[in-house]
Amino acid sequence: NYSVKYCNQSCRSLDEPDPLCKVQIAPMEGCGCPEGTYLNDEEECVTPDDCPCYYKGKIVQPGNSFQEDKLLW
């Protein structure tokens, strides 16, 4: 692609503010995930349903959950 976006393109950006959105980056040629997919920690393009969740430094893989203070995530 000749206009690769960097802001809000990762799984982490679905749960946390993306710091790259505050940086001015000129559009450049490169590779990115297809529309509707996001880059995970293994550098694979996945659907939002296949993204892990991020909570207070914890990574919860798809299909898993954890409990904190009687709240189920």
Side-chain angles (χ1 to χ4, degrees):
N1 192 338
Y2 291 103
S3 184
V4 176
K5 297 179 188 176
Y6 291 95
C7 175
N8 294 326
Q9 297 298 306
S10 68
C11 286
R12 192 174 293 270
S13 71
L14 296 174
D15 288 333
E16 302 174 347
D18 189 345
L20 289 178
C21 294
K22 295 180 181 178
V23 178
Q24 290 289 344
I25 300 174
M28 60 177 55
E29 184 177 341
C31 297
C33 289
E35 188 172 333
T37 64
Y38 298 86
L39 194 64
N40 68 13
D41 292 331
E42 286 81 39
E43 297 187 10
E44 300 169 326
C45 295
V46 297
T47 64
D49 290 340
D50 292 324
C51 281
C53 291
Y54 301 89
Y55 179 73
K56 294 184 179 179
K58 296 177 183 164
I59 300 174
V60 182
Q61 294 302 323
N64 293 335
S65 61
F66 74 95
Q67 192 166 353
E68 181 179 275
D69 299 331
K70 299 183 183 179
L71 296 175
L72 183 64
W73 298 92

